[in-house]
Amino acid sequence: MKILSVNAGSSSLKFQLYEMPEERVLISGNFERIGVGNSFYTIKLNGEKIRKELELDNHEQAFKALVNELKENNVVESLDEIKGIGHRIVQGGDYFDKTVVIDDEVLSKIDELSKLAPLHNPAAVTGIKAAIDVFPSALQTAVFDTAFHQTMPKENYLYALPMKWYTDYKVRRYGAHGTSHKYISNRMNEILGRTDTKLITCHIGNGASISAVVNGKCVNTSMGLTPNAGLIMGTRCGDIDASIIPYIMEKTNMTPKEIDNVINKESGLLAISMRSSDSRDVEAGINEGDENCILAQRMYVRRIVDYIAKYYVEMEGCDAIIFTAGVGENSITTRKAIIEKLGILGVKLDEEANNLRGEEKLISAKDSKIACYVIPTDEELMIARDTLALVNE
Ligand code: ADP
């Protein structure tokens, strides 16, 4: 059976088509610059990457171009072979705690939740509507980035703010990257051969978050109402004193939109390194002795270590710390710096084992009190698995 995993942005559409339950990727790709001119797409098929220019006014046209590619390349004979389409949705609020089949009610709820994710949910709605038009016989599902975090206890998701802000405006911690945290914690439990585990999952990419997962359920996570909480990221500041915002707005006459742009797009590694948001560039700077890059990396690592320590105490122990996403999977030096700072907890790195990128592996020493692993994440596969489960119901 074929299942399509879809991630619609406002001007992009990423996809991956799987043969399930074998979990084999048949074709994957990305449509870019949809509706903004000069659109093009790239597809990966049989180990080859192809790029084509094609004017695409909207997501429906992108799906139609995908159908043409599927047919021309004999990936499918008939569209009916695609039994399910899973859509990645950034914000599910406190309404969705699992993947669901999309009907009119679900669609309008996702639309309503745009209040909490104005940049992302409207794009997802557009993508879903286009998919329904082009693939009317497939079961459409919504897979939420926030769903995995819905098991957090109230003491962890509530802010110490007027209760009315929570009841009337839904201000609370929702978290993000849930599909990734779920994927790597499931995989970790598979490797450990049990489910009664305490895990700290570190999704460290351009966006970054850490979760505490007990017996497969999330109990805490570092992102908040929005993704700009917790860790220092490529361009986001993460946790700061909230009063900085009104103070700077008053000093500079910035509008809410302008200051939001600064804390999301001009802060983090980029602001401190004064060089780049990309940890590869920061590492290069460190090697050149650039003081700003050295400081940026210290702050970045410090924040990650603080969260790991916090969750270790909260869970009263930890069986494994897992690193994933761009930095977590690839930055040997960042992993080393983090693990070395956890020495007080009895965590020990195996330097040789840590010398790897993008592979699943145990990287802690045999006598480390907490096992440390690299597990490459696969959000698209998680979406396909959840969708398959609903198709089979
Ligand atoms: P996103 O949050 O956009 O999904 P990714 O998880 O793809 O981000 O992570 C992208 C980031 O991963 C890059 O900005 C870079 O900082 C980091 N990265 C990727 N490859 C390497 C590498 N070889 N060494 C260090 N960092 C890397």
Side-chain angles (χ1 to χ4, degrees):
M1 180 196 306
K2 293 179 178 61
I3 302 279
L4 185 65
S5 171
V6 167
N7 184 354
S10 56
S11 65
S12 69
L13 183 73
K14 282 198 199 114
F15 68 91
Q16 207 137 22
L17 183 68
Y18 289 90
E19 187 63 52
M20 298 294 276
E22 296 83 353
E23 305 191 340
R24 190 158 45 88
V25 179
L26 300 171
I27 182 170
S28 65
N30 193 8
F31 292 87
E32 294 179 58
R33 301 189 55 84
I34 300 170
V36 294
N38 299 324
S39 39
F40 66 95
Y41 63 94
T42 46
I43 49 175
K44 258 201 231 164
L45 177 70
N46 304 325
E48 250 190 279
K49 200 168 175 185
I50 310 158
R51 180 189 152 112
K52 291 188 184 172
E53 319 278 327
L54 179 68
E55 239 13 83
L56 299 164
D57 294 333
N58 52 47
H59 288 72
E60 194 175 332
Q61 289 179 6
F63 275 118
K64 284 186 176 154
L66 171 60
V67 169
N68 288 341
E69 290 290 350
L70 296 180
K71 289 191 171 159
E72 272 172 29
N73 291 293
N74 300 316
V75 181
V76 298
E77 272 174 35
S78 145
L79 284 192
D80 295 342
E81 289 167 43
I82 300 173
K83 299 291 183 209
I85 303 185
H87 298 264
R88 179 191 177 201
I89 319 287
V90 164
Q91 183 53 270
D94 53 10
Y95 195 79
F96 296 107
D97 61 1
K98 59 177 187 295
T99 297
V100 295
V101 172
I102 298 172
D103 56 18
D104 289 346
E105 199 188 323
V106 168
L107 194 57
S108 70
K109 200 73 205 174
I110 296 170
D111 203 13
E112 197 185 309
L113 288 163
S114 293
K115 280 183 287 205
L116 294 171
L119 296 177
H120 296 106
N121 275 33
V125 170
T126 308
I128 293 166
K129 286 183 177 160
I132 294 172
D133 282 345
V134 179
F135 302 89
S137 65
L139 186 84
Q140 311 278 340
T141 69
V143 185
F144 300 93
D145 259 12
T146 47
F148 184 61
H149 305 305
Q150 279 296 304
T151 46
M152 281 188 288
K154 200 166 189 175
E155 70 207 56
N156 285 349
Y157 70 69
L158 220 52
Y159 292 112
L161 291 167
M163 200 51 87
K164 206 173 156 47
W165 290 13
Y166 168 59
T167 51
D168 291 11
Y169 306 118
K170 303 282 181 197
V171 170
R172 52 157 284 181
R173 180 188 305 282
Y174 293 103
H177 293 144
T179 311
S180 175
H181 289 287
K182 180 176 166 186
Y183 177 85
I184 51 175
S185 49
N186 285 356
R187 180 67 197 129
M188 190 68 257
N189 284 346
E190 249 173 49
I191 295 169
L192 295 174
R194 58 196 178 93
T195 51
D196 59 333
T197 54
K198 294 172 179 176
L199 309 177
I200 297 176
T201 52
C202 310
H203 178 113
I204 316 173
N206 187 31
S209 63
I210 300 197
S211 292
V213 184
V214 177
N215 304 338
K217 291 200 166 27
C218 177
V219 295
N220 211 344
T221 197
S222 61
M223 282 179 168
L225 170 73
T226 75
N228 199 356
L231 303 181
I232 292 174
M233 311 181 209
T235 58
R236 294 188 191 121
C237 57
D239 292 344
I240 55 165
D241 177 345
S243 302
I244 294 168
I245 303 293
Y247 176 73
I248 292 295
M249 286 175 81
E250 250 179 285
K251 287 270 170 212
T252 63
N253 288 323
M254 266 192 229
T255 63
K257 207 170 166 184
E258 283 165 348
I259 199 150
D260 194 51
N261 196 56
V262 175
I263 60 174
N264 276 293
K265 301 209 170 124
E266 296 172 12
S267 299
L269 274 185
L270 173 65
I272 307 298
S273 73
M274 295 197 235
R275 179 183 285 230
S276 170
S277 61
D278 192 305
S279 74
R280 284 165 291 203
D281 300 333
V282 175
E283 278 176 29
I286 293 169
N287 292 335
E288 292 161 17
D290 181 326
E291 291 294 333
N292 297 328
C293 290
I294 294 169
L295 177 63
Q297 178 72 356
R298 281 209 182 121
M299 290 170 67
Y300 185 81
V301 167
R302 173 83 267 147
R303 189 78 61 85
I304 294 169
V305 170
D306 286 351
Y307 267 90
I308 293 175
K310 170 176 144 80
Y311 292 158
Y312 174 86
V313 173
E314 182 175 335
M315 294 193 295
E316 299 182 354
C318 174
D319 296 300
I321 300 167
I322 307 112
F323 296 93
T324 198
V327 180
E329 290 170 32
N330 297 302
S331 177
I332 295 161
T333 53
T334 303
R335 287 194 305 255
K336 179 172 178 305
I338 295 166
I339 292 175
E340 283 180 351
K341 285 214 177 323
L342 293 168
I344 188 72
L345 302 181
V347 186
K348 275 193 207 154
L349 181 72
D350 177 336
E351 287 226 26
E352 213 178 299
N354 184 46
N355 201 11
L356 71 107
R357 299 184 206 278
E359 268 175 67
E360 185 175 291
K361 196 163 178 186
L362 175 70
I363 57 165
S364 51
K366 279 205 181 74
D367 59 342
S368 176
K369 287 220 176 98
I370 304 174
C372 301
Y373 280 83
V374 172
I375 300 182
T377 194
D378 197 337
E379 289 157 291
E380 293 76 17
L381 178 58
M382 196 71 242
I383 291 172
R385 282 182 187 166
D386 275 8
T387 304
L388 176 71
L390 288 173
V391 170
N392 284 339
E393 250 179 23

